[in-house]
Amino acid sequence: MNRAVCITTWREFGANKVRVILLTLLFLGPIVTFTLQRCGNPEALNADLLSHPLMASFFTLLWASGVIGREVQNGTIALVLARPITIANYVVSKWFAVGFAASLCAVEAVFCEHIISAINCPSLLWAPEFLANGFERIILCFGTAAFLVFLSSLVSGLKDLALLAGFGFMFVLYNAFAHTVYAMFGNLHIDNDYCLYFGRIIESLFTAILFPYVPVSAFFSGSLFAYGPVLALFTLITCCLSFSIWVLTHREFSYAAD
Amino acid sequence: MRLLDEVTPAIDSAAAVGELLPRSGIVVSGITKTYKGGKVKALNNLSLEIRPGEALGLVGPNGAGKTTLLSCLMGFLLIDSGSILIDGEAPDALATRRVLGYLPERLTFDRWMTGRDYMQYHHELAGMPEATRKLDCEALLEKVELHPSTWSVAVKKYSRGMLQRLGFAQALVGKPRYLLLDEPASGMDPHGVMIVRQLLKTLKEDGLTILLNSHQLDQIEKVCDRVIFIKAGTVSRVEDLNEKIEQEEHLLIRWLSSATELRSEDFGRVAQKECLAITEINSDFARVSTAGSAATVKLIKALVTANFPISEVRPEDTRLERLFIKSSQEEPTA
């Protein structure tokens, strides 16, 4: 991991006022909304009264969009790679920088929620729900960061957002298609296990990519159901970073072709 | 490496390892590079060698493949065939990158950074020690004569000339042994051009191997030992600039403003022995061609002896300009 690449990624984000404003809004929005909800019923704390770990994905999206693509578009990546730094090191540094920064934001957001809740109702201080939510956010940030870094390495500029939108659209399309097919199977009384398993694999793949969520409380309670998502998360991170390295290794960084 | 040792007094371990490696220069063997699925051939079986410590000029018309060649040497482009070795290593090897300094023609900066930040960022990327970071970067910025008041200004506020100087300073970060420069004085004012020229001369004296791609032929002529002419992706001519050769010279001779009456017959009589041709003559100037520098000296001597009111004698084109024209008319030697 390269310290200079990480720090520059963070500083570049800070230099972009639009992103900082968006980050602030993303930070404050859930705190205000969910805290107000809890104010109505200060003793209660359940999943509905705590901002969802999915919020971490939005923080990651804000940090990761164009993280490599912008450097490709500006041409600054060429001078970075002209230095004694491997592409693998560069990609991992970018992934870590995004994952760490997004985790920090997401955990800070849940921490603020926690503090406000604890002020409102002291019995909620150090409630395990907050801790689990925080851990889930960190896992989600690093998982999503790997996928977004991969998308960013495929394109230049902020086109990775378009790719992400494409993925999301495909997921929606698949869901609609799968539901229709399942309904048809049900109506025709066809019991085709292979087809259903295949459908579930596709669905799990999409979910793992777009929402690499690991239920922390289930994991710590020793539930076997938690191991699947953990495996999916590690596979996602490894595959995304490996593909990203492969793409950049086979990419040309020169304006000579222009 | 005297200059760079002054600039970066602390010895970086990576650079120290680099010093121990054998220096075999840059060897390019029959490289071919195509674009657009082979439709455009940018480099066509190009071979060249740059000896350690040599300054090599790269000259050619636009689209000849000079920038492509530099990009291949930096490992930014994947070559179709052939090989490139820099000190016996591939261009994209980490050991190679430790000894390479690169200045692209199209400057790319993280424009939100200040000049100092930018230098320190590259200093860290180059694996140089943190203890000397500030000192090294400031020394390099001073070396390219970028005013200290601009060091803390965002790069986006820099003028083109300032960016070029910053880019040049960046290329010197990490104590490189090889400098690949693509139009280093592009967009600079005359003072900046002189600084770059002087800097290149000093770097060459310090033993750096320089590959200089420039359209400023006088700069190449003053700095380089050899020049390679590239045409249609291949080497069309190699010229040793240290070799003194007698070549036809085209001169412009200006008369003093007081010389209102100048008889062309008299000039012709005096000059005919030394001149190959008198192209033009009037009361302001004369255009002549001589067989070479020796003949030019004789001609000036003869004109002064015959009391011709000379105010200025200057060559109308340089050796490289003549070679460039000649080379662009020739077929590539492949």
Side-chain angles (χ1 to χ4, degrees), chain A residues 98-146:
Chain A
V98 167
F100 183 79
S103 298
L104 205 65
C105 294
V107 169
E108 266 184 45
V110 84
F111 182 72
C112 288
E113 277 185 51
H114 177 223
I115 296 295
I116 295 166
S117 302
I119 291 168
N120 206 21
C121 175
S123 66
L124 293 180
L125 191 66
W126 305 122
E129 283 84 352
F130 284 108
L131 204 63
N133 191 301
F135 270 121
E136 281 164 5
R137 284 173 187 233
I138 293 170
I139 290 164
L140 205 55
C141 280
F142 279 97
T144 314

Side-chain angles (χ1 to χ4, degrees), chain A residues 2-5 7-9 11-13 15 71 74-87 90 249-258, chain B residues 33 35 67-68 71 74 76-78 94 97-98 100 102 104-106 108-110 112-113 117-118 121-122 124-127 130 133 170-171 173-174 182:
Chain A
N2 192 291
R3 180 178 164 269
V5 173
I7 291 175
T8 304
T9 307
R11 289 188 63 198
E12 187 192 5
F13 185 94
E71 292 211 8
N74 299 339
T76 47
I77 193 170
L79 282 180
V80 173
L81 296 179
R83 298 288 171 198
I85 163 173
T86 59
I87 288 177
Y90 173 77
T249 309
H250 289 83
R251 200 163 178 178
E252 297 188 325
F253 303 103
S254 174
Y255 51 88
D258 302 343
Chain B
K33 171 67 197 167
Y35 295 120
T67 299
T68 299
S71 299
M74 286 304 299
F76 297 154
L77 291 175
L78 307 166
L94 289 188
R97 289 181 187 171
R98 280 196 189 98
L100 278 182
Y102 174 60
E105 182 187 8
R106 205 176 287 179
T108 51
F109 294 97
D110 295 294
W112 53 271
M113 282 187 189
D117 288 344
Y118 184 72
Y121 174 44
H122 277 275
E124 192 171 352
L125 284 177
E130 193 173 357
R133 186 155 297 145
Q170 169 277 136
V173 167
D182 202 350

Side-chain angles (χ1 to χ4, degrees), chain A residues 10-25:
Chain A
W10 297 328
R11 289 188 63 198
E12 187 192 5
F13 185 94
N16 188 323
K17 283 176 189 157
V18 176
R19 282 173 186 247
V20 172
I21 291 167
L22 285 174
L23 183 71
T24 312
L25 292 175

Side-chain angles (χ1 to χ4, degrees), chain B residues 9-28:
Chain B
I11 299 170
D12 168 48
S13 58
V17 171
E19 290 296 333
L20 299 173
L21 292 169
R23 297 183 65 181
S24 55
I26 299 175
V27 182
V28 178

